[in-house]
Every structure is written in structure tokens, then in C-alpha cells.
Amino acid sequence: MQRKRLIIAISILAVLFVAVLLKNEFTNKSFRSAKWKNWEESEASPSERWEMINSLQENQKLIGNTKNEIIDLLGTPDKKDNATFIYYLGYTKKGINTANLEVLFNEKDIVSNFKITNG
């Protein structure tokens, strides 16, 4: 009887542990342009953009937009050159890793591709 209770207790703890890990791994917030543009990394909000990235990719058409349309949507990039805008995404919730969104433009200043890179 004692052994059965121990097995049940361990099983419950294991399920709770896995649930906490999965919740942190799959946190997914809806993309909100104003929140994205106004986000400042802090202890209270270290991953806000990272948590919105899936929604951004799934629900916003980035490819084909102009530089001005990207700025209207995402705000001023954290870094840029003639062909790339880089937006810092914050912590990825995988250890201490951070990430960036790189938006790539063609010679006509139209988004040709985008990618997520490690910080």
C-alpha cells in the first residue's frame, strides 16, 4: 500500500513538472503591433516579443512589404543596414539564449525573406 502511494505521488509530481516545462516552452501570445513597438526588456517581461513571434509569422504577411510598412508594423529596428532590419526578440526561454528577427530586403526595398537567429 505504501509503495502504491509513493508511485502515485511520484507520478503526480512528474506530470506537474512536465506541465510547467511545456507551459514555458509553448507560451504564445497574439501579435500586437503596439506592444511589440513599445516593448522594453525587463525582469518582468524578458520575452514579450519572443512570445509573439509565432503569431507574427502565422498571421502577418511580412514578405512583399516595403520598409515603411515594416516600420509601421514593427517599429524602428534595433539594428539595420541597407538590406536588413534586425529586431531583438529577448530571451527564448531556452536557458539564457536570446534571438533576433532579421527582415531581409531586395534591391527595391521590398521584404524578400525573414528569419529568426540566435542572439
Side-chain angles (χ1 to χ4, degrees):
M1 187 63 134
Q2 195 76 339
R3 181 178 163 92
K4 186 175 181 179
R5 285 184 184 170
L6 180 61
I7 291 172
I8 290 171
I10 291 173
S11 297
I12 290 171
L13 288 174
V15 167
L16 290 174
F17 180 73
V18 169
V20 168
L21 287 177
L22 290 177
K23 181 187 178 294
N24 287 337
E25 182 71 23
F26 295 109
T27 300
N28 192 16
K29 292 184 179 180
S30 294
F31 174 77
R32 300 282 182 255
S33 182
K35 274 192 145 224
W36 178 284
K37 290 189 267 191
N38 295 316
W39 175 70
E40 291 183 18
E41 185 178 27
S42 68
E43 279 189 41
S45 179
S47 305
E48 183 114 45
R49 283 184 176 174
W50 175 256
E51 293 172 357
M52 289 191 276
I53 196 67
N54 286 335
S55 177
L56 173 67
Q57 291 178 91
E58 292 170 7
N59 301 315
Q60 301 293 321
K61 181 180 170 253
L62 298 179
I63 295 176
N65 284 332
T66 65
K67 284 184 177 180
N68 287 335
E69 289 169 329
I70 293 298
I71 291 171
D72 286 345
L73 183 66
L74 302 177
T76 304
D78 298 306
K79 295 179 186 174
K80 68 179 182 175
D81 61 30
N82 287 339
T84 309
F85 283 1
I86 298 174
Y87 294 90
Y88 178 65
L89 299 177
Y91 286 94
T92 65
K93 297 188 175 187
K94 297 177 183 171
I96 58 170
N97 293 335
T98 60
N100 294 302
L101 169 65
E102 292 187 17
V103 181
L104 310 169
F105 296 92
N106 64 21
E107 63 280 347
K108 295 180 181 177
D109 290 340
I110 304 292
V111 177
S112 60
N113 203 357
F114 63 92
K115 60 185 175 180
I116 309 299
T117 60
N118 288 324

